[in-house]
Every structure is written in C-alpha cells, then in structure tokens.
Amino acid sequence: MKYIMIGTACLVVIGIIAGTYFFEKEPHVTQPETPEISDPGSPPLQAVNEAAPVGYSLQQEQLQITYNNGEKWIQVPVEKENLFQGEYSGREDELIEDSYILTEDLAAFLYARDYSVDKSVRLLFSKDKGETWEDAQVTASSPPIRFRKVGFINESSGYVILSADRTMSQELTTVYLTKDGGESWKETPRPDTTRLIYDGGFVDDDTGFLSFGILNPEEPDLHVTQDRGNSWNKAAMEIPDQYKRIFVMAKVPFKEGDHLTAYVNQGPNGDYKGGKVKGKFISEDQGRTWSFQEEVQPDETD
C-alpha cells in the first residue's frame, strides 16, 4: 500500500512538470491593450457672421473675433454676459444688432456690467485689429437698457443711442456723442417724447435722427437734430392718402446724391403686398421735411 501511494504521488508530480513544460511551449494569445483616448480638444470656432469681412464667435463662453476667416482668433477682453446686460438681452447666441461695429479699422462693443454693482454703460474698442483695447465710459449711470446702438460717422465722430427705464409703452431715450474717436462721450438733450424708440443715427457731425413708435404705430414719428443734438424737432413726412397707416416706421435716413433718403416700413402688423414693401421718401432740407417717391421691394433696400 505504501509503495502504491508513493507511486501515485510521483505520477502527479511528473504530470505537473510535463504540463508546465508544454504550456510554456504553446504560443500565448496576447490580450489587446486598452487604447488610449486622446482629448480631441474643443471644436474649431465658427463665425456667427461668416459673410462679413470680420467675423466673431461666442463659443466657449467668450467673445472672439477673426480677421482672416478663422485662421486666427483674438479674444476680446469683456465678459460675455456683460454684452447682454439690460432689460433686453437678445438671443445671447449672437450679439445684439447694432450694439457693435466690426470693420478692418474698428472693433467696438457696447456693454454694461451687473446693475446691482455698476450702473455704467461702456464701449470697448480697438483700432489695431485687437492688439490693444480701450475701455471708455459712455455714461456713469443708467437704468437697465433696452435699445442700444453705436455708430461712427468718421474716425473722430460717433454716437451711442440708449433707451432705458421703460414703463409699458414709455421710456427715456438718450444720445451720447464723441468727437475724439470714442475716448470720451457727452450726453445731449433728450427729444420731447417718451415713446419707444425704433431706430436712430447720424448722417454727419450735426444731423441726426431718432425714429419712435414700435407699438401699433399709425404714422412715422421721426425726429431730427441739425445742431449736434442740442435740439430735436419732429420731421414732417407727407404720406399720400393711399399709404396712410401703411408706411408707419421710419428707418435711419442716409445720404443719396444731393439729398437724404429714408425707407419707411409697414410695422409689425403690416400686410400691404405681403407686409415687406417699403416706402421711399426723400428730403432736400437736411431732414426737416420729407416727400414720398415710390414703393420699393425689400431686396432693393438690403
């Protein structure tokens, strides 16, 4: 019995040794390594206004601009949320219309900080394609703004138009002017109306316009200054009978030849010929009086 047990044990040992030997001789199947997942990084920026000569992006929660179709992006030193502060904040996936200027020679952005801390409205601008920036105070204090617009007539003269403190269909509209390229701003007297502003702007250093009435307008309400905003008067617009209560909202006039031209829209409820046809008016006395010329299709004014 003893010899049987010893023999069995020897066979077990020999089996183990043989099994180990043959296992080492067999080719091993290597388990595939877990591939490293590389961080693809942020997606490339895409300009909101791709057709414009200078583009901008609000991706990555910051404002950036490009002068070469996205090959290089320049970060604008302003908090994105400050570009949309106020009673009206727009869609926030694109800049508020007329609140900025983007050209080869000037990048400018109106903004306001948190009103609970700082009630000022400011203009951040660069004249060297974003290499350096200037941050100018337009006004030290303003209620939350609704309408905002910035424009420059030339390198030195520019304007900012703000409306604020709206109550139902009334608000205050204020015009600020600069003569030093945007470094300093001066408030002008307000026009004698508290209607909601629709549009505004200047055609030269002295002549500017404010157009009012966006809630159920019945006729154009265009005010003109010819003394750099020191006084405002309502312009006289001769509306032919067939167009009364049709052409009711005037856009900012512009120079055309030896006169001024203004397009007058139908308003939010317009349905004349589809609601898109506009009236063309001209003025030969720098905007004091206006006469009707013709109907124009929307594609003629774009």
Side-chain angles (χ1 to χ4, degrees):
M1 185 67 179
K2 175 180 178 181
Y3 295 107
I4 293 174
M5 294 178 64
I6 293 173
T8 302
C10 289
L11 290 173
V12 171
V13 171
I14 292 170
I16 293 173
I17 293 172
T20 302
Y21 173 80
F22 286 112
F23 176 77
E24 293 293 336
K25 288 292 185 179
E26 288 292 324
H28 290 191
V29 178
T30 304
Q31 294 295 324
E33 295 181 1
T34 303
E36 293 184 4
I37 301 176
S38 58
D39 183 5
S42 302
L45 299 180
Q46 184 174 1
V48 173
N49 50 342
E50 293 185 31
V54 184
Y56 77 87
S57 168
L58 291 169
Q59 292 172 253
Q60 302 174 6
E61 293 302 308
Q62 60 190 19
L63 174 61
Q64 301 184 70
I65 58 177
T66 179
Y67 290 87
N68 50 19
N69 298 315
E71 292 182 18
K72 177 184 177 183
W73 289 90
I74 302 164
Q75 184 170 340
V76 181
V78 63
E79 296 292 332
K80 176 185 173 182
E81 62 183 17
N82 291 346
L83 298 164
F84 303 98
Q85 288 284 357
E87 179 195 341
Y88 175 73
S89 57
R91 292 169 43 183
E92 299 191 27
D93 60 351
E94 60 183 44
L95 294 173
I96 297 173
E97 184 179 8
D98 295 329
S99 70
Y100 67 98
I101 299 170
L102 275 179
T103 68
E104 292 285 344
D105 301 318
L106 177 64
F109 304 91
L110 278 173
Y111 76 95
R113 296 194 179 97
D114 184 347
Y115 284 96
S116 63
V117 178
D118 184 348
K119 293 180 171 58
S120 67
V121 178
R122 309 184 68 87
L123 183 72
L124 180 70
F125 63 95
S126 172
K127 298 181 179 180
D128 55 13
K129 296 186 176 181
E131 291 187 15
T132 61
W133 294 88
E134 294 190 53
D135 190 3
Q137 178 177 280
V138 177
T139 176
S141 180
S142 171
I145 54 179
R146 182 189 67 82
F147 179 91
R148 67 207 74 184
K149 184 175 183 178
V150 57
F152 276 82
I153 305 159
N154 50 50
E155 291 184 1
S156 301
S157 299
Y159 59 88
V160 167
I161 303 171
L162 304 175
S163 75
D165 206 20
R166 184 173 74 91
T167 302
M168 301 299 288
S169 60
Q170 307 294 316
E171 66 182 0
L172 296 178
T173 297
T174 310
V175 177
Y176 303 87
L177 300 178
T178 181
K179 295 191 292 184
D180 55 16
E183 294 181 11
S184 62
W185 295 84
K186 180 181 178 181
E187 179 179 340
T188 71
R190 291 190 178 98
D192 187 23
T193 181
T194 56
R195 297 185 71 187
L196 303 185
I197 188 170
Y198 169 57
D199 199 4
F202 277 69
V203 297
D204 57 40
D205 283 344
D206 297 317
T207 310
F209 298 90
L210 297 173
S211 178
F212 298 91
I214 62 175
L215 299 177
N216 301 316
E218 296 187 351
E219 64 179 8
D221 188 3
L222 184 67
H223 291 240
V224 57
T225 179
Q226 295 180 329
D227 56 9
R228 198 171 172 78
N230 289 311
S231 63
W232 295 88
N233 297 287
K234 186 172 180 178
M237 300 198 82
E238 299 175 6
I239 310 293
D241 289 343
Q242 66 267 36
Y243 296 118
K244 287 184 177 179
R245 298 193 178 184
I246 292 178
F247 298 138
V248 294
M249 296 174 65
K251 294 291 293 180
V252 172
F254 58 92
K255 292 183 177 181
E256 187 179 50
D258 60 353
H259 59 266
L260 295 179
T261 294
Y263 292 118
V264 182
N265 296 331
Q266 296 188 38
N269 302 318
D271 58 4
Y272 175 71
K273 294 185 179 181
K276 301 299 183 180
V277 173
K278 303 177 183 180
K280 179 179 180 179
F281 292 75
I282 68 167
S283 173
E284 297 180 343
D285 57 10
Q286 287 296 93
R288 289 192 298 271
T289 61
W290 295 84
S291 60
F292 176 78
Q293 291 297 294
E294 60 182 342
E295 295 181 13
V296 292
Q297 299 296 323
D299 56 358
E300 297 179 49
T301 64
D302 293 339

